[in-house]
Amino acid sequence: MTLVDPGDPAELAASVRSAFADRYGEPPTSIGRAPGRVNLIGEHTDYNGGLVLPVALPHATYAAARPREDEVVRVASLQEDQPWEGSLDRIGPGSVEGWAGYAVGVLWALREAGHDLTGVDLLVDSRVPLGAGLSSSAALECAVGVALLDLLGAGTDDLVAAGIRAETEVVGAPTGGMDQTVAVRGVEGAALLIDLESGETTPVPLDLAGHTLLVTDTRVAHELTDGGYGSRRADCEEAARQLGVATLRAATLEAVEALADDRVRRRARHVVTEIQRVRDTVAALAADDWDAVGPIFDASHRSMRTDFEISCPELDCAVAVAVQAGAVAARMTGGGFGGSSVAVVPDERVEAVMRAVDAAFVLEGFRSPLHLRAVPSAGAGVVPG
Ligand code: GLA
């Protein structure tokens, strides 16, 4: 059974500081930290002007930075073999391959927003599992962004938008903005209700009352640039076009059910019903009624499996077994096609649920999963010291 430890922020910051000094010969002048996230509910609703309800994880990415006097940009990661080196004028949409695009894309986007950044040395370290549907990419963007803004003594007002531009324009992943928003604005002890139409964010206090939010990473790696995500988004936009609305936020279920094309209709049905499930979840949480969350998560998972078609056997197994072993609610979370599930588990059943899922994965011949305790945590910030 593997439980991923988020580590102690002060210790992780000290270790990235010393790795930076070893690599570049001088200590960093700033260290930024930004969390991964698990979305409680509201999947593929963000780019439809909808509602989402993510939680910032205690698992975070740490970025150490030191400004340079020239235009050179160097970035390395303790999780990646290949460092990246280039000059400021080489960074832009489509110009940086691989993981480094998320990091230096933020530098580009902050400069586009008018921040006077020069060359910089960067080193990152992360406790967010990669490709697990837990927004390691937004954590990377926002950790780097926090460190860069701190070098200028600037606040983080432009950070969410810069992270989104790095991901959508520099990397080219057509994502919807939930991840960067919660990575920056996440609140300790709460989920964050984000209204992507108005841009409003509202913390929803989570009284876990003897429950644990248990995340299971199936270790089926998902990619948001490989077509499945983009084709779902295109179907949603097509549905909105046919319905004559700006986004599916404005569509009624009745109108959606009358769409002629079966696939487009099912995609839109998922989005419209999922937005309502976010509202229902918020109402259940306001009443501290975790039992009411069970059927809502169940309906969400079924909608993603059959209407939106983004689940996979490993996710279906993790969700079903968690519920059999005592979770009060469980569903797949994140972009889909692999990644993680999230379950609400009475504290005394957490071990049993992890063991049952592990055993089922062995039986099915799946890779061993990883588990994380999603203690609701704060968004991005500078790590002092
Ligand atoms: C990914 C994207 C988000 C969102 C989710 C699905 O995490 O980055 O913008 O669309 O998938 O809810």
Side-chain angles (χ1 to χ4, degrees):
M1 204 165 63
T2 312
L3 196 58
V4 182
D5 179 6
D8 174 65
E11 278 170 25
L12 287 164
S15 105
V16 77
R17 173 185 302 284
S18 95
F20 184 103
D22 289 349
R23 180 171 191 97
Y24 297 118
E26 282 179 294
T29 43
S30 177
I31 297 178
R33 172 187 186 280
R37 64 98 188 93
V38 59
N39 190 19
L40 286 187
I41 196 155
E43 229 61 84
H44 288 260
T45 51
D46 59 354
Y47 55 78
N48 289 297
L51 303 171
V52 294
L53 191 65
V55 168
L57 295 172
H59 304 73
T61 297
Y62 297 75
R66 184 180 180 91
R68 301 173 55 94
E69 281 174 8
D70 55 18
E71 306 266 289
V72 172
V73 177
R74 297 191 291 184
V75 52
S77 162
L78 298 182
Q79 278 69 47
E80 304 283 348
D81 294 334
Q82 290 298 317
W84 186 89
E85 180 169 342
S87 66
L88 275 182
D89 58 5
R90 256 193 63 194
I91 303 170
S95 69
V96 185
E97 292 279 304
W99 73 273
Y102 297 95
V104 298
V106 162
L107 172 57
W108 170 82
L110 287 173
R111 279 168 51 88
E112 290 281 300
H115 292 282
D116 191 17
L117 287 156
T118 58
V120 64
D121 288 333
L122 289 160
L123 180 71
V124 299
D125 188 13
S126 185
R127 286 293 176 105
V128 185
L130 306 179
L134 302 174
S135 288
S136 58
S137 50
L140 173 56
E141 292 150 9
C142 297
V144 168
V146 163
L148 293 176
L149 288 165
D150 186 51
L151 296 178
L152 299 173
T156 54
D157 288 356
D158 294 332
L159 184 53
V160 172
I164 293 173
R165 288 197 76 185
E167 186 155 321
T168 56
E169 297 181 44
V170 177
V171 177
T175 52
M178 158 172 64
D179 308 339
Q180 295 79 8
T181 307
V182 66
V184 175
R185 306 218 178 108
V187 172
E188 196 179 333
L192 194 68
L193 175 64
I194 309 171
D195 182 330
L196 277 298
E197 193 173 57
S198 67
E200 206 182 329
T201 58
T202 314
V204 175
L206 287 182
D207 181 359
L208 286 166
H211 295 88
T212 294
L213 296 177
L214 181 68
V215 172
T216 297
D217 168 12
T218 63
R219 298 180 71 210
V220 178
H222 84 149
E223 270 289 343
L224 297 179
T225 44
D226 70 0
Y229 184 95
S231 76
R232 296 307 181 280
R233 184 168 181 154
D235 285 345
C236 293
E237 285 163 1
E238 176 58 21
R241 196 190 61 75
Q242 289 182 18
L243 293 168
V245 290
T247 66
L248 288 179
R249 174 72 177 272
T252 64
L253 189 54
E254 202 187 356
V256 164
E257 294 299 356
L259 285 167
D261 183 88
D262 174 62
R263 193 189 68 223
V264 171
R265 182 173 62 244
R266 286 187 289 114
R267 304 297 191 244
R269 183 195 295 143
H270 165 73
V271 172
V272 170
T273 57
E274 183 81 351
I275 291 171
Q276 184 55 41
R277 285 187 286 270
V278 177
R279 294 193 185 98
D280 295 345
T281 304
V282 171
L285 293 178
D288 289 333
D289 186 357
W290 285 103
D291 289 335
V293 174
I296 305 172
F297 273 28
D298 185 48
S300 172
H301 187 79
R302 277 187 284 115
S303 177
M304 287 186 284
R305 194 180 58 213
T306 55
D307 279 346
F308 221 64
E309 295 179 285
I310 54 171
S311 191
C312 64
E314 290 83 351
L315 286 169
D316 293 342
C317 177
V319 166
V321 172
V323 171
Q324 280 156 21
V328 297
R331 58 184 285 280
M332 60 151 283
T333 182
F337 311 102
S340 297
S341 63
V342 58
V344 182
V345 186
D347 291 342
E348 66 280 6
R349 299 297 302 167
V350 171
E351 287 269 332
V353 166
M354 291 192 288
R355 280 187 205 291
V357 172
D358 286 6
F361 270 47
V362 171
L363 223 85
E364 295 287 343
F366 300 155
R367 291 181 77 186
S368 306
L370 302 175
H371 305 280
L372 294 82
R373 282 179 198 270
V375 180
S377 299
V382 171
V383 189

